Amino acid sequence: MKHFFFTGIMLVAFLLSNAQINESHQHDRYCRHYPQLQEIPIYAYRNDWQSELVHDYDVSFYFLDLSVSSTSIHVGGTVEIHATVVASEMNIFAFELNAALSLEEVIFNGVAAENISWEGDNVLVEISTLQQGETFVATITYGGTPPTGGFFAGITNDYSNTWQKNVTWTLSEPFAAKDWWPNKQVLTDKADSVWVYLTTTSNEMAGSQGLLTNVTNLGNNQLRYEWKSKYPIAYYLISFAVSDYQEYNIYAKPEALENDSILVQNFVYNHPNYLPSQQSNIDAVVPMIELFSNLYILYPFHEEKYGHCITQLGGGMEHQTMTTIGGFSFDLIAHELGHMWFGDNVTCATWSDVWINEGFATYSNYLAQEMLNGWTAGQNFMIGTQNNVMSSPGGSVYIPPSEITPDNIWRIFNGRLSYDKGAAIIHVLRHEINDDEKFFEIMQAFQIAFKDSTATGEDFRVIAEEVTNMDLEQFFAQWYYGEGYPKYDIEWYMFNDMFNIYVTQSGSSSTPLFQMTMDYKLTFSDGSDTTVRLFQENNLEQYAIDFGKQVVSIQLDPDHWTFERVNSLVVGSREKMDPDYFSFYPNPASDQINLAFSENQMREINISDASGKLLITEQTTGLMHQVDISRLPAGIYFITINSNSGRMVKKLIK
């Protein structure tokens, strides 16, 4: 089959092998919710962990009125849950709360509940039967000191030796909200709004999401910080942080707001040297907000604020409108801010699709580097990201539900896969689309379509296909659901002024082929160069391009749009490579080799040892053929292919 491409010159590409279709670490550097090498806590999601009864209602409003302290993880007070029954009828009100906390009282629609039972961390309250569509208000009074256990414990207390401050903060992702307040941990059930009232001592400040509507003096050295947010919010994005803070406010002015601005409210340690040392770093968030508001949609929570609460967290957590953060590095600020669009405004619908959160936040980090710090900074970021992805051969961005287990939470927050590969495949998609206007139109359309809601990777694919009119099923099959990355073996030669190149692609893991566009930078004998885009549809492709002058060198992917390994790149000869070229992989091999041919015809495959003794003989008519070499001892062998069009020999190492 011949294809003609026009890039100022005529390209004649011979696509000469069959299409293979996929059927099917290092931890994150920025949004790290755990210390390296820490044991996984036992409380994680599994099907038998959460009562089915929590799905009988839909939450509309949470109101937390709690007492908190910078010196303790003890927490307590009342939580109101306003909700609507979605089951045909409901006679048990179920919610989640860590059993280590004391449950003092549950008032349901104004009546104190009498029959309350526990099943693990599920609280089951017998109620008078409600019908579908009826509403209720449950007021839960509780308190205590939840179990600790690292970053996934829900609430943490620490002391900064540098700044001499105690600090307490929450981190509920993915399943630890119940460790510090009663709630329903279901991603797809966002509350329509939330109030968080935090009572603490008068020498402390307490930060949370939304707007600080009032600070009430309760007497007895007690202040109550009253935070209110009208935006829909996922359970794990509700938070607080408390310490001896000072407030530092700045403002962002996105173009879409014209003469208005967005408050950036920062609670930082109240130490004379803290703000002077960090002010310029904190200020860097302003152009980021303005950039992302232009690239995506206007900052989703612009009627409230964005901000930070400094803590001793080893990274950051994208709590809605007020990130809990451990420091003010450029990359950390950019990543957590990116979450306000990807993770908070649009939240992953399942933890299997955490790419919606982490992949896009990491790519937002890349965009901030490229567009605010320059092309070289962006390149350095992306190269580091891609190299981390390729530091191990396998792993998919999508997380099979079977892998989300109590002893495998790090699989959700795997930095190499959920974060870096997640970002790297977005970069590949941008290159495949080859139209930045369309690419950012996808981002905007996705934000608009799923605003204040949840989405899966498939939802993003549908939006991308609608915007671009491209079929992206194969792209997602190989990059999102598939494992690994492509590897290349390349031979090329000149015949007169015709550039000929044979490209063999294989996969590093279970995905045998990545159908994709690759950039090739060609340098000519006169010192000039050009970059051509060639689509790899099959494992072995032959392209012939008439430039009218001599190519002297080639480079794959010069601008690092894709990520791949080049096993070999050699100059061949017309006599050697014609008329019946073939390639094979892997080499060296252990049990099997895969042979790729340039056309369909009858062939005889012979494998002989160094002495010429024939060991294996097979025949094939296809474009791909697999040979079992497991019975051969280690050594050097020769593969000879005989056909009506010629004979070719290559060396095999086992």
Side-chain angles (χ1 to χ4, degrees), residues 414-469:
N414 185 296
R416 186 177 70 85
L417 299 175
S418 298
Y419 293 68
D420 284 355
K421 189 174 183 183
I425 69 172
I426 296 169
H427 205 51
V428 176
L429 177 62
R430 183 179 171 189
H431 178 251
E432 205 67 44
I433 294 169
N434 197 32
D435 183 335
D436 267 6
E437 184 176 343
K438 287 290 185 185
F439 174 77
F440 287 109
E441 185 180 342
I442 293 169
M443 299 295 217
Q444 295 159 7
F446 181 66
Q447 286 291 312
I448 293 169
F450 294 95
K451 179 179 175 59
D452 298 329
S453 186
T454 61
T456 66
E458 283 298 310
D459 291 326
F460 182 80
R461 178 175 73 89
V462 170
I463 294 294
E465 289 181 335
E466 289 177 351
V467 171
T468 63
N469 200 31

Side-chain angles (χ1 to χ4, degrees), residues 9-14 490-503 520-524 532 534 542-555 569-571:
I9 51 178
M10 184 175 74
L11 314 183
V12 185
F14 301 94
I490 296 171
E491 292 187 59
W492 66 276
Y493 69 94
M494 294 298 302
F495 179 66
N496 294 328
D497 288 331
M498 183 72 74
F499 171 72
N500 294 268
I501 182 172
Y502 292 84
V503 182
Y520 297 83
K521 181 179 180 180
L522 310 178
T523 301
F524 301 104
V532 296
L534 302 176
Q542 177 190 356
Y543 308 93
I545 311 171
D546 188 357
F547 288 105
K549 52 185 174 180
Q550 295 289 303
V551 174
V552 295
S553 67
I554 67 174
Q555 179 186 355
L569 198 165
V570 299
V571 181

Side-chain angles (χ1 to χ4, degrees), residues 58-63 81-84 135 187-195 209 228-235 238 301 304 320 451-453:
D58 179 75
V59 176
S60 59
F61 174 64
Y62 284 122
F63 177 24
I81 300 177
H82 296 225
T84 302
T135 61
L187 284 168
T188 51
D189 188 5
K190 286 188 172 184
D192 298 332
S193 57
V194 61
W195 293 2
Q209 66 287 307
K228 296 181 180 181
S229 177
K230 66 179 183 180
Y231 290 102
I233 188 168
Y235 68 88
I238 296 171
F301 314 109
E304 293 181 355
Q320 194 158 300
K451 179 179 175 59
D452 298 329
S453 186

Side-chain angles (χ1 to χ4, degrees), residues 315-327:
M317 177 61 212
E318 63 275 12
H319 293 131
Q320 194 158 300
T321 76
M322 201 162 200
T323 287
T324 303
I325 204 161

Side-chain angles (χ1 to χ4, degrees), residues 236-271:
Y236 73 92
L237 296 173
I238 296 171
S239 70
F240 76 80
V242 57
S243 184
D244 176 16
Y245 286 135
Q246 60 179 312
E247 185 174 352
Y248 171 60
N249 296 333
I250 49 181
Y251 295 87
K253 298 181 179 180
E255 292 178 5
L257 285 181
E258 297 180 347
N259 296 322
D260 205 350
S261 59
I262 296 169
L263 169 65
V264 183
Q265 187 174 27
N266 302 282
F267 280 15
V268 299
Y269 292 137
N270 186 22
H271 186 284

